[in-house]
Amino acid sequence: MKARGLSEDEVLAILHEKREQDLSYDRIFSSMCTPAHPIALKAHQLFQETNLGDPGLFPGAAELEQRAVKMIADLLGYPDAVGYLSTGGTESNIQAIRAARNAAGIRDGNVVVPRSAHFSFDKIGDLLRLEVRKADLDEELKVDLNSVERLIDEKTVALVGIAGTTEFGQVDPIDRLGDLALDRGLYLHVDAAFGGFVLPFMEKKWRWDFGVEAVSSISIDPHKMGMSTVPGGGLLFRDGRHLDMLAAFAPYLTDNRPTALTGTRSGGSAAATWAVMAHLGKEGFTRIVRRCMALTDQLVAGARAIGVEPVLEPIMNVVALKAEPSPEKVRSELMKRGWLVSITQDPRALRLILMPHATRDNIDLLLDDMAAVMRQL
Ligand code: 0PR
């Protein structure tokens, strides 16, 4: 830091220059984030200085958080669910497994997750000192229940299912995982960080939420398909006792038993999440999801027209394409042409996410470039 500060104009000039270096979302097909809805931005700005770590100082912001949690609880099929708005899927997953571990009272335990689980579960193993056991997937890239069953033992503190896998957008058989959890008396966490704001708005009805009796907790991210601001996560529990497992003691705060992982927390994000849900309603989200799925269909049809097949018929707005001979090469050539796409590990494929910022025109342009790149390789 300099002894004498820069003028506001100088600072702004640097900020604008740096912002210019950031990519704009219209050519990004590799991200699960998207520009927040304008009403979320307004709400965030209005509440930006509020801190939910000390909610008694900001009862307005705190009420918006609880109203948002209530709306999410309704959406997830259990109006009595309790929880809070976190910083994102990683925090929600950590906290869910921490609650399960504390409830089980086992310190050197294990958690059984699908091999397709997000890398946040590896952090969880490290942080919580749990062994993360990875169950195999079936040919549709859903978790294989026999494999899950084989990995369970008396030290298992939780099972995890995913509703919208990071790489393929696949949905695990949550109801059957639920049968297994009930049978073994186990905690079942569902990671719907991505799918939570997609599945409820699709025509096809899936059994994946609190409607499945054994589901203990759900991660659902407003900062992904929820159109809210970053950081915006959500964690809901069926049973308030699990949330209580996370309480710390802070006698000097207005809420002396905080349950979130972070101390200071953005009231702006909570206000944004409430605002966007209140404003869009189920109709608004249904329109957004329908459009993302139409774009998904357009991409898959266009890919097939140039001889590129998807790994799976897309379940949600995540597409993995068998871009032979090398998804890595196709990716790097597309990146040279300004398209941000990613790849999957197993099986290797080119991965694209059709977020609300995607457009028909850009998909056509991307497909033209993909065809050119593949001819050249
Ligand atoms: N669970 C699932 C199923 C996820 O897909 C993700 C993130 C998480 C948990 C963790 O969420 P947070 O990142 O909010 O902690 N999935 C994306 C991924 O890792 C996140 C992402 C977003 C990556 C934007 C890149 C990007 O540009 O692929």
Side-chain angles (χ1 to χ4, degrees):
M1 205 189 327
K2 290 182 174 149
R4 183 166 210 186
L6 301 177
S7 70
E8 188 178 318
D9 283 348
E10 287 168 319
V11 169
L12 283 171
I14 295 170
L15 290 175
H16 285 297
E17 184 196 321
K18 292 298 138 194
R19 192 69 182 106
E20 283 289 302
Q21 293 172 5
D22 291 341
L23 302 179
S24 85
Y25 269 105
D26 42 314
R27 293 172 79 90
I28 298 180
F29 287 86
S30 58
S31 172
M32 288 185 165
C33 292
T34 199
H37 190 284
I39 202 153
L41 282 181
K42 284 185 189 149
H44 198 120
Q45 205 165 26
L46 199 58
F47 282 81
Q48 64 76 27
E49 66 188 37
T50 65
N51 167 25
L52 291 172
D54 206 354
L57 307 186
F58 308 104
E63 187 182 331
L64 290 180
E65 179 185 29
Q66 282 315 309
R67 284 204 205 172
V69 166
K70 175 77 173 76
M71 276 193 276
I72 296 171
D74 287 342
L75 196 64
L76 299 182
Y78 190 62
D80 291 335
V82 295
Y84 74 97
L85 298 183
S86 69
T87 51
T90 300
E91 178 180 341
S92 297
N93 288 339
I94 292 171
Q95 290 279 82
I97 303 306
R98 188 176 149 225
R101 183 202 63 176
N102 292 355
I106 298 173
R107 289 276 149 177
D108 57 345
N110 65 72
V111 50
V112 180
V113 310
R115 194 162 292 289
S116 50
H118 183 255
F119 64 85
S120 49
F121 286 94
D122 295 327
K123 300 181 187 175
I124 288 171
D126 192 27
L127 279 167
L128 301 179
R129 298 248 164 255
L130 293 171
E131 182 193 344
V132 181
R133 297 186 173 175
K134 297 193 177 173
D136 294 333
L137 307 184
D138 65 16
E139 64 284 357
E140 289 186 291
L141 307 174
K142 298 180 186 181
V143 75
D144 178 287
L145 291 148
N146 292 323
S147 176
V148 173
E149 200 161 8
R150 279 195 299 275
L151 293 173
I152 296 172
D153 65 17
E154 69 287 353
K155 291 285 181 87
T156 301
V157 302
L159 304 183
V160 173
I162 310 169
T165 60
T166 306
E167 290 197 321
F168 299 96
Q170 183 56 283
V171 182
D172 286 323
I174 304 297
D175 49 354
R176 294 177 59 210
L177 271 175
D179 293 341
L180 201 52
L182 274 188
D183 189 47
R184 302 296 187 95
L186 285 169
Y187 187 104
L188 174 59
H189 175 63
V190 176
D191 180 355
F194 184 75
F197 277 100
V198 181
L199 293 171
F201 307 113
M202 296 188 90
E203 267 152 49
K204 174 168 174 177
K205 294 296 163 216
W206 297 79
R207 276 182 50 73
W208 68 278
D209 60 9
F210 286 119
V212 176
E213 191 193 339
V215 170
S216 314
S217 54
I218 300 179
S219 298
I220 170 171
D221 278 359
H223 71 195
K224 294 190 169 75
M225 284 295 286
M227 308 293 295
S228 189
T229 52
V230 176
L235 172 61
L236 276 81
F237 294 94
R238 181 188 297 277
D239 186 339
R241 280 178 305 180
H242 284 131
L243 182 60
D244 285 345
M245 291 283 161
L246 302 173
F249 182 52
Y252 61 93
L253 295 179
T254 49
D255 168 11
N256 62 17
R257 285 178 54 76
T259 46
L261 184 61
T262 59
T264 302
R265 307 197 287 128
S266 170
S269 292
T273 295
W274 175 81
V276 72
M277 292 185 77
H279 180 64
L280 285 174
K282 288 186 183 153
E283 282 174 11
F285 275 105
T286 303
R287 266 197 309 277
I288 289 168
V289 168
R290 200 174 284 152
R291 181 172 166 277
C292 289
M293 290 313 296
L295 295 173
T296 302
D297 292 344
Q298 181 198 345
L299 176 68
V300 172
R304 282 198 161 115
I306 56 170
V308 178
E309 284 296 312
V311 174
L312 293 176
E313 282 307 320
I315 290 86
M316 45 184 85
N317 46 332
V318 179
V319 177
L321 296 174
K322 296 182 195 165
E324 308 294 357
S326 159
E328 288 86 351
K329 280 202 185 129
V330 175
R331 178 199 200 188
S332 71
E333 289 302 316
L334 284 174
M335 294 202 8
K336 283 184 203 153
R337 295 170 185 239
W339 299 108
L340 278 295
V341 293
S342 84
I343 49 169
T344 61
Q345 289 299 308
D346 188 19
R348 285 233 185 269
L350 194 70
R351 168 178 175 262
L352 299 100
I353 304 157
L354 288 305
M355 293 300 289
H357 59 260
T359 63
R360 292 194 72 80
D361 288 352
N362 277 333
I363 292 169
D364 283 337
L365 292 171
L366 170 82
L367 283 164
D368 288 346
D369 277 341
M370 200 187 296
V373 162
M374 299 209 38
R375 270 197 303 274
Q376 160 200 325
L377 281 177

